[in-house]
Amino acid sequence: QAGGQTLGLALSEPLTLVLGDDIDLGLTNARLSLNDQTLQASGRVRLADRLRADLMVSGETLDLRPLTSAAPDTESDSSREVDFSALESIDLEFRLDLDQLLVSDALTLTDVVSETRLQAGRLALAPLQARLFGGAFNGRVDVDFTQAPPAVTVQPELSGIAIDQLAALSGAAAPLSGLADAQLDLDFSGMDLPSILASMNGAGRIEIANGALEGVDLRRLISEELTVSNLSNVSQAFGGRTDFDTLEAGVEVVDGVLELPDLNLAAADFGVQGQGRVDFAADRIDYRLQLNLGPELTQRLPGTLRDATRGRIPLAIAGPVAQPIVTIDFNSLLESALRRQITERLLAPRVEDGDETPSGDEGQTDSASSDEASAEGTSEEEPERERTSQLLLRGLLERALEDDEEASDETETEEGGDEPPPS
């Protein structure tokens, strides 16, 4: 009996023992048991100033849930640190071959093969190969038991895994679904899920094929809301999901918060670029994205909106993971519209200046004709696109000013209450 667990060793063949300066044991087809789970072990064990072993361990199932999910009975137990100092006197090498490894209710690895080494209180599983979440894990896991709580580093290369099942490890709803490939380098500490999530840091990259952005239906936004008449009123939860062909993003994890600094989503007739944040502990997402409509969807927009945006709509998506609120980012839309108008006005004179100017009487005649045509065009043939852009630009400016005034009023109310501003 050790730590509330039942450990056992049974020999099916005679034990080979060599007595010398050290005691050298040879095991053949030994049976190791943990809480009535049986594993087979063969190899050598040397007893000296340190316990040294070189083994091959295999079996059908190893269930670690009794070790990882045991809850403390009292408040004093919850603050007591587990003592792993005994591991510092063990030098262990073994090859692990399991059909199934149960880590938690949400995490099961199958076809597990690993070269494992425990030395001076540090455990290294490298390389570690396994099947999980319908895909494959290849990489390494390092655990430093000399730190309190133990520090863990995971460097996986994942291929074809169900990303929603991976997100379920956090105990929260998944913001994405689909089959993912990922290269990650993560570290964390702690013995319980809240501690692990709060301490997790790292970086990597992820690619998802034939998946969906969960919690928001961008196609419904496109078909129902992108009109000039109600564009300024878009601020609602659309629910549902947005199917996509591919999604690529860099991954940064800071104290358990997932950052996606360069998200790039491609669907059949539109794309999305931008950045996002997912806080599983708080059940919050925050995306700042640009919706890039393809030619077909852009043509469906009302003329004013189409000419002013060219099919590029800035969005803000924030709120609970399962049902965030979608709003139009008016400041970004105004900025892009202003930039486009300024660019068009600056480029137009350059085209005219590039024409060759004739000399003499003929040049004067052509110049007069050109001035007359220019005057006529200014008064009668002003491009419809410029007029509609100016109309939408004026509306966006008014809306942006209203938003700024509301934000300013809220800030003054929160900071100063009813007190008058200082003179």
Side-chain angles (χ1 to χ4, degrees):
Q1 300 293 323
Q5 311 300 322
T6 302
L7 308 177
L9 170 65
L11 304 178
S12 59
E13 298 184 13
L15 177 69
T16 301
L17 174 61
V18 177
L19 297 178
D21 294 337
D22 299 331
I23 299 177
D24 195 340
L25 306 177
L27 300 177
T28 304
N29 295 327
R31 294 191 302 276
L32 304 176
S33 63
L34 171 63
N35 297 327
D36 299 325
Q37 302 177 87
T38 301
L39 302 174
Q40 289 73 46
S42 299
R44 306 194 68 80
V45 178
R46 177 171 294 182
L47 303 177
D49 56 335
R50 301 174 61 84
L51 174 62
R52 303 177 184 273
D54 188 355
L55 302 172
M56 293 190 63
V57 180
S58 62
E60 293 183 359
T61 301
L62 178 58
D63 190 350
L64 299 180
R65 290 177 295 179
L67 303 177
T68 59
S69 61
D73 296 330
T74 66
E75 183 177 351
S76 59
D77 289 337
S78 64
S79 60
R80 186 175 4 183
E81 296 178 349
V82 180
D83 184 8
F84 293 101
S85 59
L87 298 178
E88 298 182 28
S89 61
I90 298 176
D91 190 350
L92 176 63
E93 293 186 18
F94 61 92
R95 175 182 173 87
L96 184 63
D97 192 341
L98 297 172
D99 293 341
Q100 184 174 243
L101 177 63
L102 303 176
V103 180
S104 69
D105 291 337
L107 180 58
T108 298
L109 288 78
T110 59
D111 300 333
V112 180
V113 177
S114 176
E115 298 291 340
T116 306
R117 181 178 181 86
L118 175 63
Q119 185 177 35
R122 293 176 173 85
L123 176 68
L125 293 86
L128 171 61
Q129 300 176 347
R131 302 283 302 176
L132 79 163
F133 304 144
F137 176 108
N138 290 278
R140 67 177 293 145
V141 177
D142 294 276
V143 184
D144 186 355
F145 290 103
T146 65
Q147 300 189 38
V152 181
T153 299
V154 184
Q155 297 174 318
E157 181 174 336
L158 307 172
S159 57
I161 67 167
I163 190 64
D164 54 332
Q165 296 182 35
L166 177 61
L169 292 177
S170 67
L176 295 167
S177 62
L179 298 180
D181 296 341
Q183 300 80 39
L184 302 171
D185 188 346
L186 304 173
D187 60 77
F188 56 86
S189 61
M191 300 294 291
D192 58 272
L193 181 59
S195 299
I196 290 172
L197 289 178
S199 62
M200 184 172 292
N201 291 277
R205 188 156 191 86
I206 188 169
E207 300 177 4
I208 304 175
N210 300 319
L213 183 67
E214 301 291 343
V216 58
D217 187 349
L218 292 181
R219 291 188 180 278
R220 180 181 166 194
L221 165 72
I222 295 170
S223 61
E224 296 181 6
E225 304 296 338
L226 292 187
T227 64
V228 174
S229 60
N230 62 11
L231 182 63
S232 62
N233 298 323
V234 176
S235 181
Q236 67 183 74
F238 287 88
R241 65 205 305 257
T242 301
D243 295 324
F244 56 76
D245 298 328
T246 61
L247 182 148
E248 301 178 358
V251 175
E252 298 177 2
V253 183
V254 181
D255 296 333
V257 178
L258 179 65
E259 303 276 358
L260 305 172
D262 57 350
L263 187 150
N264 189 341
L265 180 153
D269 47 2
F270 66 88
V272 175
Q273 288 81 39
Q275 58 187 7
R277 166 182 289 193
V278 182
D279 188 339
F280 288 107
D283 186 33
R284 303 285 296 180
I285 65 172
D286 187 358
Y287 299 120
R288 291 296 182 269
L289 306 173
Q290 177 170 274
L291 176 63
N292 297 324
L293 304 179
E296 181 179 350
L297 291 177
T298 300
Q299 288 303 313
R300 298 181 186 177
L301 297 178
T304 303
L305 182 62
R306 180 177 64 248
D307 293 336
T309 66
R310 309 291 173 84
R312 297 179 176 87
I313 313 294
L315 302 176
I317 305 177
V321 173
Q323 199 171 26
I325 301 298
V326 182
T327 57
I328 302 295
D329 189 342
F330 284 98
N331 288 332
S332 296
L333 188 57
L334 174 61
E335 181 181 348
S336 61
L338 282 171
R339 186 184 301 112
R340 186 176 297 110
Q341 279 209 356
I342 291 173
T343 300
E344 291 176 351
R345 290 178 178 273
L346 289 176
L347 290 179
R350 294 178 183 175
V351 175
E352 297 174 0
D353 293 343
D355 296 338
E356 294 183 3
T357 303
S359 58
D361 295 339
E362 182 179 355
Q364 294 177 358
T365 303
D366 292 342
S367 177
S369 300
S370 176
D371 292 342
E372 182 179 354
S374 176
E376 182 180 353
T378 300
S379 60
E380 299 179 2
E381 299 180 0
E382 182 179 15
E384 181 67 21
R385 183 172 61 191
E386 183 175 351
R387 290 202 301 270
T388 55
S389 296
Q390 290 174 345
L391 289 174
L392 182 60
L393 187 60
R394 185 180 301 112
L396 291 174
L397 181 58
E398 293 174 353
R399 174 59 188 266
L401 291 174
E402 291 176 1
D403 291 344
D404 290 342
E405 290 176 357
E406 292 176 1
S408 177
D409 292 341
E410 292 177 359
T411 302
E412 291 178 359
T413 302
E414 293 175 357
E415 294 180 354
D418 297 328
E419 297 180 4
S423 57

